[in-house]
Amino acid sequence: MCELLGMSANVPTDICFSFSGLIQRGGKTGPHRDGWGIVFYEGKGFRTFKDPNPSCDSKIAQLVQSYPIKSCAVVSHIRQANRGEVSLENTHPFTREIWGRYWTYAHNGQLTGYEKLNTGHFKPVGETDSEKAFCWLLSEIEQHYPEKPEDMSEVFAFIAKRCDKLRELGVFNMLFSDGDYVMTYCTNNLHWITRRAPFGKASLIDDDMTVDFQQETTPNDVVTVIATQPLTNNENWHKMSEGEYCVFHLGEVYATNQDEFQQETVS
Amino acid sequence: MCELLGMSANVPTDICFSFSGLIQRGGKTGPHRDGWGIVFYEGKGFRTFKDPNPSCDSKIAQLVQSYPIKSCAVVSHIRQANRGEVSLENTHPFTREIWGRYWTYAHNGQLTGYEKLNTGHFKPVGETDSEKAFCWLLSEIEQHYPEKPEDMSEVFAFIAKRCDKLRELGVFNMLFSDGDYVMTYCTNNLHWITRRAPFGKASLIDDDMTVDFQQETTPNDVVTVIATQPLTNNENWHKMSEGEYCVFHLGEVYATNQDEFQQETVS
C-alpha cells in the first residue's frame, strides 16, 4: 500500500511540516520504502520531485524538506510497491494534460481486474494498476467532456462516479488536481483538516516536531491538508467515509457528497 | 533566444561538468535569465528539475550540479524569453506521452505564424511558440504512426521533415528524446561532440573548471554531448548545418541526414 499527502491553500504555502512527517513513514516509522514523489503547482505550471529510493534517506527529499517551495496545490505520495516493480516510471504522482491543463494524480490501494480498462490514447508508461486507472479516468473525462465545462463541480461529480467503478475493483483512495482544485476520493483511508484563524500549535506523530501556525500565517490564510492517516496528534482530522469525495479550492470545500455520510473526526 | 544541452551515453553518466558550464550562461556569462530545466531519463521514467529563476543563482540548479544523477539520455534548456512570459508553465523542457513512452523536447529559436498549427488533442498549457510546435509535432507523429513502428529511423526521418516545416516559420533548433534516442535538429546553432577512449582533458569556456575524463570513465564508455554553442575550448565540436538532423542512441549516431551536408568542426 502507500500513503498520500495533499494540500489546498488560498495563499502560496509551504508543506515542509507535513512533508517532514510523511517522509518518516517512507522507511522509518512506516514501511513505504519503494519511492516517493511530490508535485507543487505554480500557476498552470508544476514542479515534480521523485525518487524510487526510500524517502527517509533521499537526498532530494531533504532538499524539498529544507527548501520551502510555496504552492496553493500539492500532491504527494510515498510508495510500498504491490503492482509494478520499484522504478521511476512506477513512482507517483503521475501527471498528464487535458484541456490545456496538467492533471496530477496519486493512488493508495490495490485493484484487481484493472487490465481491461480502456485508456484510449492515454497509454500507461509503467506497469502499475494506479497509472492504468489514471489513464482510464482521463480517457473517460475527455470523452465525456471534449471541452472544459464552465461548471467544474459537475466534472468532479462525474469523476467521483467513475471512481465508484474503480472502487468495485479494490481499494481506491485518490488525490487528483489541476492546480486549481484538489480532489480526494475515499475507499477506506483518507483524512483532512482545514487550518484557519485562530491558528494553534500542531505536533507531528512521526517526528519530534511542533509548529506554531500562528507564527507562520496571516489571519486570512486557509490551508487544508489531506493525508491517508492523520499527521498530527493534537488536532481534529475529518475521517472520510467509503465512497465519499471532497474537492478543495483555495483551501475551502468546493464540492462534495459528504452530506450522504455520517461525519467523524479523529484526533 | 535560449540554449540547449543534451546527452546520449551507453552507460549512465552524470552531466555535472557540462551543466556547470551551461548554467553560467543563465545570467552570468550569458543573458538566458528566464528560467531553466533539465530532464534525466532512468529507464522509461524521468526526473525533471525546473525553475523560472535564473540558473546561475538557483538553489535547485546547485542541487543538480552537486548531486550526480546518472542517466543515458538528458535534455536541458536555459531560457531567454521571447514568446510567453517568465513562468513555470513556459519553462522547457516539455514532456508528453505517446505510445506509452514519455517524449521530452526543448527548443531554441523563435517562430512566427505558429498560432495556426493544429495540435489535435495535445493542447499547449503555456503560451510559447515552442510548446505549440511540440504539441503539433506529437500530433503529426501520432496521426502518422498510431502504433510505434519497428524501424525508429523511419520515424526520425518523418520528424525531421516536419521540423523542416517549422524551420519555414523561423529559427528551429531542437532536442527531442524518449529516453532511448536523443534527436537533434538544426537551423543555425547546434554542436555536438562524442567522447570515447582514449579520453582526454576538457576545460569549460564559461567557468574555471577542467575535467580529466580518463579518471571518470571506463574504456568502453561512449558519451555524446550536444549544445547550442560548444561548452569547452580545447576539443573539436561538430557544427551542424541548416536542415541537418542527427539521432543518437547509447552515445553513437543512430540516424542522420548529415551526408547531405559539408561537415565542419569547431574548437
Side-chain angles (χ1 to χ4, degrees):
Chain A
M1 305 293 270
C2 314
E3 294 219 16
L4 303 171
L5 171 65
M7 189 185 77
S8 170
N10 67 344
V11 286
T13 303
D14 80 65
I15 197 168
C16 293
F17 175 71
S18 299
F19 187 71
S20 295
L22 182 78
I23 63 173
Q24 300 305 317
R25 299 181 183 175
K28 207 165 159 186
T29 61
H32 316 282
R33 297 186 60 83
D34 301 327
W36 64 276
I38 189 163
V39 170
F40 299 91
Y41 278 92
E42 285 181 38
K44 295 197 285 179
F46 66 98
R47 300 167 193 270
T48 302
F49 299 90
K50 275 187 181 184
D51 214 336
N53 303 317
S55 54
C56 69
D57 47 37
S58 159
K59 182 142 181 178
I60 298 172
Q62 285 165 21
L63 173 90
V64 173
Q65 204 180 348
S66 62
Y67 178 58
I69 296 172
K70 297 195 177 216
S71 170
C72 292
V74 175
V75 173
S76 180
H77 182 272
I78 54 175
R79 181 165 185 240
Q80 187 181 10
N82 44 53
R83 308 257 186 246
E85 60 176 353
V86 177
S87 67
L88 203 49
E89 69 263 29
N90 288 338
T91 304
H92 307 219
F94 302 102
T95 304
R96 301 273 180 115
E97 171 269 326
I98 42 175
W99 307 324
R101 293 294 296 240
Y102 294 116
W103 289 81
T104 293
Y105 156 103
H107 167 224
N108 157 270
Q110 189 167 347
L111 306 176
T112 50
Y114 61 91
E115 297 85 352
K116 284 171 280 181
L117 295 169
N118 181 355
T119 63
H121 67 76
F122 297 95
K123 304 274 195 312
V125 174
E127 302 88 38
T128 62
D129 49 356
S130 307
E131 190 192 4
K132 181 96 174 174
F134 176 45
C135 290
W136 178 74
L137 278 176
L138 293 173
S139 177
E140 292 286 304
I141 296 167
E142 206 185 57
Q143 276 180 47
H144 202 82
Y145 299 105
E147 302 294 324
K148 185 180 174 178
E150 282 290 300
D151 179 7
M152 283 300 287
S153 64
E154 182 199 320
V155 177
F156 290 114
F158 172 82
I159 297 171
K161 288 267 179 262
R162 290 299 177 273
C163 291
D164 292 341
K165 295 269 177 208
L166 292 170
R167 186 159 51 91
E168 291 170 11
L169 305 181
V171 174
F172 190 74
N173 301 300
M174 178 193 81
L175 293 177
F176 199 61
S177 178
D178 71 340
D180 278 341
Y181 302 93
V182 178
M183 177 180 187
T184 61
Y185 179 88
C186 179
T187 297
N188 59 356
N189 270 319
L190 218 47
H191 296 77
W192 58 268
I193 186 169
T194 300
R195 298 185 181 118
R196 64 177 86 235
F199 290 98
K201 290 185 184 175
S203 299
L204 286 181
I205 294 171
D206 299 271
D207 204 356
D208 184 16
M209 194 185 284
T210 296
V211 70
D212 182 357
F213 287 116
Q214 182 87 49
Q215 306 296 321
E216 312 278 332
T217 52
T218 68
N220 296 324
D221 293 6
V222 180
V223 181
T224 293
V225 174
I226 306 128
T228 328
Q229 294 297 328
L231 291 163
T232 58
N233 53 18
N234 62 338
E235 298 180 296
N236 289 324
W237 290 69
H238 294 264
K239 180 175 168 49
M240 293 182 71
S241 302
E242 183 166 354
E244 187 180 338
Y245 77 93
C246 204
V247 181
F248 300 93
H249 183 235
L250 301 174
E252 304 282 5
V253 174
Y254 168 78
T256 178
N257 63 346
Q258 68 187 17
D259 300 344
E260 300 169 22
F261 303 93
Q262 198 182 340
Q263 293 303 302
E264 264 186 81
T265 61
V266 291
S267 57
Chain B
M1 306 295 270
C2 312
E3 295 220 15
L4 303 171
L5 172 65
M7 188 185 77
S8 170
N10 67 345
V11 286
T13 303
D14 80 68
I15 199 169
C16 293
F17 175 71
S18 298
F19 187 71
S20 297
L22 182 78
I23 64 174
Q24 301 304 317
R25 298 180 184 177
K28 205 164 162 186
T29 61
H32 316 283
R33 298 186 59 83
D34 302 326
W36 63 276
I38 189 164
V39 170
F40 298 92
Y41 278 92
E42 286 180 36
K44 294 197 287 180
F46 66 99
R47 300 168 194 271
T48 301
F49 299 89
K50 273 187 182 184
D51 215 337
N53 302 316
S55 55
C56 69
D57 47 36
S58 160
K59 181 139 179 180
I60 299 174
Q62 284 166 20
L63 173 89
V64 174
Q65 204 180 349
S66 62
Y67 178 59
I69 295 171
K70 297 193 177 214
S71 171
C72 291
V74 176
V75 173
S76 180
H77 182 271
I78 55 176
R79 181 164 184 240
Q80 187 181 11
N82 45 52
R83 307 257 187 248
E85 60 177 354
V86 177
S87 67
L88 203 47
E89 68 263 28
N90 288 338
T91 304
H92 307 220
F94 302 102
T95 304
R96 301 273 180 116
E97 171 270 326
I98 41 173
W99 306 325
R101 293 294 296 241
Y102 294 116
W103 288 81
T104 294
Y105 156 103
H107 167 223
N108 156 270
Q110 190 167 348
L111 306 177
T112 51
Y114 61 92
E115 298 86 351
K116 283 171 280 179
L117 294 169
N118 180 356
T119 63
H121 68 78
F122 298 94
K123 305 274 196 309
V125 174
E127 303 86 39
T128 61
D129 50 354
S130 306
E131 190 193 4
K132 181 94 174 174
F134 176 44
C135 290
W136 178 74
L137 278 176
L138 293 174
S139 178
E140 292 285 305
I141 295 166
E142 207 186 55
Q143 276 180 47
H144 203 81
Y145 299 105
E147 304 292 325
K148 185 179 175 179
E150 281 288 300
D151 179 7
M152 283 300 290
S153 64
E154 182 198 320
V155 176
F156 290 114
F158 172 82
I159 297 171
K161 289 266 180 262
R162 291 300 177 272
C163 292
D164 292 342
K165 295 271 177 207
L166 293 170
R167 184 158 53 91
E168 290 170 12
L169 305 180
V171 174
F172 190 74
N173 301 301
M174 179 193 78
L175 293 178
F176 199 61
S177 178
D178 70 340
D180 277 342
Y181 302 92
V182 178
M183 178 181 185
T184 62
Y185 180 88
C186 180
T187 297
N188 59 357
N189 269 319
L190 218 45
H191 296 77
W192 58 268
I193 186 169
T194 301
R195 298 184 182 120
R196 65 177 86 234
F199 290 97
K201 291 185 184 176
S203 300
L204 286 182
I205 293 170
D206 297 270
D207 204 356
D208 185 16
M209 195 185 286
T210 297
V211 68
D212 182 356
F213 288 114
Q214 182 88 46
Q215 307 294 321
E216 312 278 332
T217 51
T218 67
N220 295 325
D221 293 6
V222 179
V223 181
T224 292
V225 173
I226 306 129
T228 325
Q229 294 296 329
L231 291 163
T232 58
N233 54 18
N234 61 338
E235 299 179 295
N236 289 323
W237 291 70
H238 295 263
K239 180 176 169 47
M240 292 182 72
S241 303
E242 183 167 355
E244 187 180 339
Y245 76 93
C246 203
V247 182
F248 300 93
H249 183 237
L250 300 174
E252 303 281 5
V253 174
Y254 168 78
T256 179
N257 63 347
Q258 69 187 16
D259 299 345
E260 300 169 20
F261 303 92
Q262 198 180 344
Q263 293 303 302
E264 264 186 82
T265 61
V266 292
S267 56

